[in-house]
Amino acid sequence: MLDTVQNTPNATLTDSAAIGVVMVNGREFMGDAKGNLVPVANIRPEDLLQDQTVRKIMAFAVDLNAQITRFRDHTMVDLGTFDAVLAEEYDAKIGGAKGNRTYQTFDGLMRIQIQVSDLIAFGPELQIAKSLIDECLNEWTTDARQEIQAVITKAFNTDKEGQINKSELFMLLRLHIQDDRWQRAMTAIRNSIRITGSKEYVRFYKRDDIKAPWEAVTIDLAKAGA
């Protein structure tokens, strides 16, 4: 059985703390996932190697995250400065009413887009809409309305974060159904929509020549180099 130490008052941190090691009375320990201190000598080599590998990668990840944060902040400041100059010089601004903006190099080969997306929530009217839609489904024959029923089920199912599936819900608004209860349900859905805020997304694009399609410059581990 592994020798463990719990809540040891004599434990002191050393430079080894960066690699997860704590010195207790001159001996090296590492904390496990249960909060116990385990002697390094009792830890399996493969577990030590895994720990070292994760810590090494995480050190780079934390540094890269900080760089990306600084890059985004500098990008927004630079574009904001340009917007201010444009407003002062020409009494004009880039972008539409929602704040979406596009910036491009003179040769047309590089582009930066700021896209503003609304943060949406739904009020209690949505439950009224669901009740009216359920009434419709209970009367309609299943065979004739299977596809519509599937769309409705997807719309009111919550996603992994427990949120209503907004894209599927909005699909309901595009269906042309004349039933009065359905029309009232669609009105209730529209009335349930609450704009709770907005979020800005920065996207980068480049192309080799003006006839070539735009290629996204992704800052995303899953898409890097793609």
Side-chain angles (χ1 to χ4, degrees), residues 88-163:
E88 184 176 349
E89 290 286 333
Y90 303 102
D91 192 24
K93 67 177 183 177
I94 289 179
K98 289 187 64 175
N100 296 326
R101 299 167 337 257
T102 298
Y103 307 85
Q104 190 166 294
T105 55
F106 188 71
D107 59 10
L109 301 183
M110 301 179 196
R111 174 182 290 176
I112 299 174
Q113 288 184 337
I114 305 294
Q115 294 180 318
V116 181
S117 296
D118 289 330
L119 301 178
I120 296 175
F122 297 94
E125 296 90 344
L126 192 62
Q127 296 304 316
I128 297 175
K130 180 63 167 59
S131 177
L132 290 168
I133 290 172
D134 284 342
E135 286 184 26
C136 293
L137 288 180
N138 288 335
E139 291 188 15
W140 295 341
T141 59
T142 305
D143 292 339
R145 303 278 182 166
Q146 283 184 349
E147 292 184 2
I148 294 177
Q149 189 165 3
V151 172
I152 293 170
T153 300
K154 287 182 180 179
F156 286 96
N157 279 348
T158 55
D159 58 22
K160 293 180 180 179
E161 285 73 37
Q163 301 296 316

